[in-house]
């Protein structure tokens, strides 16, 4: 059923009276007040099936959809609510929290959505509890991240009202008893290593969304073998974030596909001018990331900025050493990383076996670009980048003696894992060598430490290029 719904872009839901047409009020015996999405949802079949099953089968009554800004949490939540419309006899109530910054106004916002008037005899929370008694209903609380300290009030409501369920969208997990977090990933991306034909790409969610939005501004746009590669690269460059894809598609009013792809080297400057009806923070990619950044504590902001210098993924120990460049203690970095994961800004993955694999962290490239902007704006870029290069030089030199011994396979795999950062460190050292001779020495040492890796792992042309560039800037260096 869900495949048919998504394949037909929402038309099936309208035909079956599951979902009203835009502008048509929802009319049924059920009390619902949530807004109707104006565009179909793409690529979220599994998420809808899993979340609806969770809420229908009473596994828990507080489900939090988390993910970075622009990933489409609200859009998905509205479709989940639509799917569950006949499952909650007491109604489904949409509570928009984006305009609220003070946690004490969360309960009044819920009361307003249900048209509950505060009495003089008891606190408003008790009035809500009385209203909820015996009613099987769902509250959809949207944009909870800036009032997350009000989360215990939600737990208190749920405890007092056993028939009430809550679906929350938030960039940060609430961390209260009974909560189930459901992380919303970016849309599926094409594999740039595979053949990129229109037929094969048309089933990839990020590409489908991008093409849909392109055709809203260019109705006669043709998806062909000639432009397939550019479209796949644009979607990949934007990390599959729906907001970024929509903003990029709008730019095709003015730019060709190749021109848009070239400008996405600086995506935050390009992806502006979203639709007028959305909140200002979602009208540009920069604004939606700034919203998340401003909700961080000062220490979290410092750690987040430092993480911009990493390329690819990194380990906790690497983050702890490099963040010391801004004076952060190792324990602060560990706690800060945990918090940034909770706030959907840092991604965590286990490399290898889940039981004893290596824990690694990463940033979406879109988020990394914003973090780098903040790092430069705060005047920290040079010293943090230097700390990054020094760390990876030390790591390469520690591994180098083992590359022609019994641990060669293990050590080569380690260098492969860290190669994005090693490459970034070497590039930075070469860029700085023109102004600072110590950087040319760093580049020479790093090339020497990587020479066996380049040969064994067949990075012939890249290694040769780095060696030639390093020698060219190393005149007079021992």
């Amino acid at each position: 059923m869900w495949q048919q719904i998504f394949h037909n872009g929402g038309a099936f839901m309208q035909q079956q009276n599951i979902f009203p047409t835009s502008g048509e009020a929802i009319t049924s015996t059920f009390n619902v007040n949530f807004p109707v999405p104006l565009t179909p949802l793409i690529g979220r079949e599994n998420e809808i099936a899993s979340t609806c099953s969770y809420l229908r089968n009473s596994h828990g009554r507080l489900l939090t959809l988390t993910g970075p800004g622009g990933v489409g949490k609200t859009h998905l939540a509205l479709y989940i609510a639509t799917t569950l419309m006949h499952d909650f006899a007491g109604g489904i109530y949409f509570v928009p929290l984006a305009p609220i910054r003070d946690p004490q106004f969360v309960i009044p916002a819920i009361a307003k959505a249900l048209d509950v008037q505060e009495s003089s005899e008891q606190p408003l929370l008790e009035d809500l509890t009385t209203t909820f008694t015996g009613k099987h209903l769902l509250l959809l609380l949207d944009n909870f991240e800036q009032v997350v300290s009000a989360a215990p009030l939600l737990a208190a409501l749920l405890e007092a009202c056993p028939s009430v369920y809550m679906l929350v969208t938030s960039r940060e997990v609430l961390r209260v008893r009974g909560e189930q977090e459901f992380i919303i990933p970016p849309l599926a991306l094409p594999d740039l290593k595979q053949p990129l034909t229109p037929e094969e790409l048309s089933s990839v969610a990020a590409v489908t969304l991008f093409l849909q939005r392109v055709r809203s501004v260019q109705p006669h746009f043709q998806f062909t073998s000639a432009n397939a590669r550019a479209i796949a690269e644009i979607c990949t460059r934007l990390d599959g974030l729906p907001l970024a894809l929509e903003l990029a598609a709008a730019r095709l009013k003015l730019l060709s596909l190749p021109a848009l792809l070239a400008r996405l080297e600086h995506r935050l400057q390009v992806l502006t001018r979203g639709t007028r009806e959305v909140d200002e923070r979602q009208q540009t990619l920069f604004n939606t990331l700034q919203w998340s950044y401003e909700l961080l504590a000062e220490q979290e902001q410092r750690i987040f900025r430092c993480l911009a210098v990493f390329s690819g993924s990194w380990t906790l120990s690497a983050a702890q050493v490099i963040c010391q460049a801004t004076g952060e203690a190792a324990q602060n970095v560990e706690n800060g990383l945990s918090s940034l994961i909770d706030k959907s800004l840092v991604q965590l993955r286990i490399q290898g076996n889940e039981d004893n694999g290596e824990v690694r962290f990463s940033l979406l490239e879109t988020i990394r670009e914003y973090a780098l902007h903040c790092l430069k704006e705060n005047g920290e870029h040079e010293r943090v980048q230097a700390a990054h290069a020094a760390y990876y030089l030390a790591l390469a030199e520690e591994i180098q003696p083992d590359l022609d011994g019994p641990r060669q396979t293990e050590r080569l795999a380690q260098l492969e894992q860290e190669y994005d950062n090693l490459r970034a460190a070497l590039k930075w050292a070469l860029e700085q060598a023109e102004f600072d001779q110590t950087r040319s020495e760093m580049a020479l040492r790093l090339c020497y430490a990587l020479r066996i890796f380049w040969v064994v792992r067949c990075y012939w042309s890249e290694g040769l290029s780095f060696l030639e560039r390093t020698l060219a800037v190393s005149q007079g260096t021992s």
Side-chain angles (χ1 to χ4, degrees):
M1 174 177 172
W2 281 110
Q3 290 178 346
Q4 187 175 1
I5 289 173
F6 283 90
H7 179 72
N8 292 325
F12 177 80
M13 286 199 278
Q14 294 172 5
Q15 294 166 7
Q16 300 298 318
N17 295 321
I18 296 173
F19 201 69
T21 57
S22 60
E24 176 186 345
I26 297 175
T27 57
S28 72
T29 58
F30 302 97
N31 186 3
V32 293
N33 78 332
F34 53 86
V36 177
L38 299 178
T39 55
L41 190 67
I42 291 171
R44 298 300 193 191
E45 298 93 330
N46 292 335
E47 287 85 349
I48 287 182
S50 297
T51 53
C52 288
S53 174
Y54 182 85
L55 291 168
R56 280 175 173 149
N57 296 325
S58 300
H59 297 306
R61 294 188 292 122
L62 174 57
L63 182 63
T64 305
L65 307 183
T66 64
V71 81
K73 297 181 293 295
T74 299
H75 199 191
L76 174 60
L78 291 173
Y79 268 81
I80 293 169
T82 301
T83 308
L84 295 171
M85 190 164 59
H86 298 287
D87 290 275
F88 289 91
I92 297 176
Y93 296 88
F94 180 75
V95 185
L97 297 172
I100 297 174
R101 299 299 290 262
D102 192 330
Q104 69 175 329
F105 296 132
V106 170
I107 294 300
I110 296 174
K112 181 179 179 181
L114 278 83
D115 198 24
V116 173
Q117 303 296 319
E118 185 172 9
S119 65
S120 57
E121 290 79 17
Q122 60 185 1
L124 184 55
L125 183 61
E126 293 184 21
D127 289 326
L128 275 177
T129 302
T130 301
T131 301
F132 289 157
T133 300
K135 292 183 178 178
H136 183 55
L137 58 84
L138 175 68
L139 296 178
L140 200 174
L141 299 147
D142 189 41
N143 290 293
F144 205 84
E145 60 269 2
Q146 78 279 5
V147 289
V148 72
S149 60
L153 295 175
L154 302 188
L157 265 178
L158 290 171
E159 189 171 351
C161 308
S163 297
V164 171
Y165 287 65
M166 294 183 186
L167 177 63
V168 179
T169 73
S170 177
R171 301 184 192 186
E172 178 176 1
V173 66
L174 307 190
R175 289 190 289 125
V176 294
R177 189 175 64 257
E179 177 189 26
Q180 175 64 50
E181 180 185 12
F182 193 95
I183 299 173
I184 308 304
L187 293 175
L189 291 169
D191 184 352
L192 298 180
K193 297 178 182 178
Q194 298 299 320
L196 300 173
T197 65
E199 294 75 22
E200 290 162 326
L201 289 173
S202 60
S203 62
V204 179
V207 175
T208 303
L209 176 62
F210 181 71
L211 290 173
Q212 182 196 83
R213 297 299 188 265
V214 168
R215 287 171 179 144
S216 71
V217 298
Q218 290 189 19
H220 304 296
F221 180 85
Q222 297 295 314
F223 185 30
T224 67
S225 297
N227 61 28
R229 178 79 194 186
I231 289 172
E233 289 187 6
I234 287 169
C235 294
T236 302
R237 187 76 57 84
L238 297 176
D239 298 313
L241 287 173
L243 175 61
L245 294 168
E246 292 178 7
L247 294 172
R251 279 296 178 184
L252 291 179
K253 285 183 178 180
L254 304 172
L255 301 172
S256 66
L257 282 169
L260 174 62
L261 180 58
R263 294 194 182 196
L264 288 181
E265 289 291 338
H266 305 285
R267 54 181 74 76
L268 297 182
Q269 299 172 21
V270 176
L271 302 182
T272 60
R273 296 173 62 88
T275 54
R276 288 188 176 92
E277 78 275 7
V278 300
D279 192 86
E280 182 180 352
R281 65 193 169 83
Q282 291 184 308
Q283 291 191 14
T284 75
L285 194 58
F286 184 91
N287 285 355
T288 198
L289 293 171
Q290 187 174 44
W291 169 268
S292 293
Y293 179 74
E294 289 177 349
L295 293 176
L296 301 177
E298 186 176 344
Q299 184 177 81
E300 292 171 332
Q301 289 180 346
R302 283 197 303 272
I303 295 169
F304 174 69
R305 294 194 300 265
C306 287
L307 302 179
V309 298
F310 288 106
S311 182
S313 64
W314 68 88
T315 62
L316 173 60
S317 58
Q320 289 174 325
V321 171
I322 291 161
C323 287
Q324 288 178 7
T326 59
E328 292 299 332
Q331 187 60 44
N332 291 344
V333 176
E334 183 174 349
N335 294 336
L337 267 176
S338 178
S339 180
L340 292 171
I341 291 168
D342 283 347
K343 293 174 169 64
S344 304
L345 288 169
V346 171
Q347 297 183 314
L348 177 149
R349 72 169 189 259
I350 306 297
Q351 188 74 25
N353 188 289
E354 287 192 7
D355 294 327
N356 55 13
E358 181 183 42
V359 176
R360 298 188 68 86
F361 308 90
S362 63
L363 295 174
L364 293 176
E365 283 302 306
T366 304
I367 294 175
R368 180 175 179 260
E369 183 176 327
Y370 179 77
L372 190 59
H373 161 82
C374 295
L375 188 69
K376 292 176 179 177
E377 284 288 301
N378 282 271
E380 301 162 328
H381 183 232
E382 184 176 346
R383 69 175 182 270
V384 177
Q385 193 74 66
H388 174 273
Y391 176 86
Y392 283 99
L393 171 61
L395 180 65
E397 290 187 328
E398 174 195 325
I399 293 172
Q400 185 267 324
D402 294 328
L403 294 181
D404 56 359
R407 297 184 64 192
Q408 184 188 63
T409 300
E410 171 198 342
R411 291 302 218 171
L412 286 171
Q414 187 177 358
L415 287 177
E416 190 76 61
Q417 179 69 66
E418 304 291 356
Y419 192 52
D420 285 336
N421 282 297
L422 290 162
R423 182 191 286 122
L426 185 48
K427 285 181 177 178
W428 179 82
L430 287 170
E431 289 167 2
Q432 298 296 310
E434 182 180 349
F435 315 103
D436 186 344
Q437 189 177 12
T438 61
R439 304 308 182 207
S440 64
E441 294 174 5
M442 176 179 283
L444 282 168
R445 290 168 59 190
L446 195 45
C447 283
Y448 182 77
L450 291 174
R451 73 194 189 284
I452 297 176
F453 169 78
W454 282 332
V455 171
V456 176
R457 289 299 178 111
C458 297
Y459 287 95
W460 294 97
S461 58
E462 184 172 335
L464 181 60
S465 174
F466 273 131
L467 284 165
E468 289 175 338
R469 290 171 58 192
T470 301
L471 290 171
V473 298
S474 301
Q475 300 297 326
T477 301
S478 173

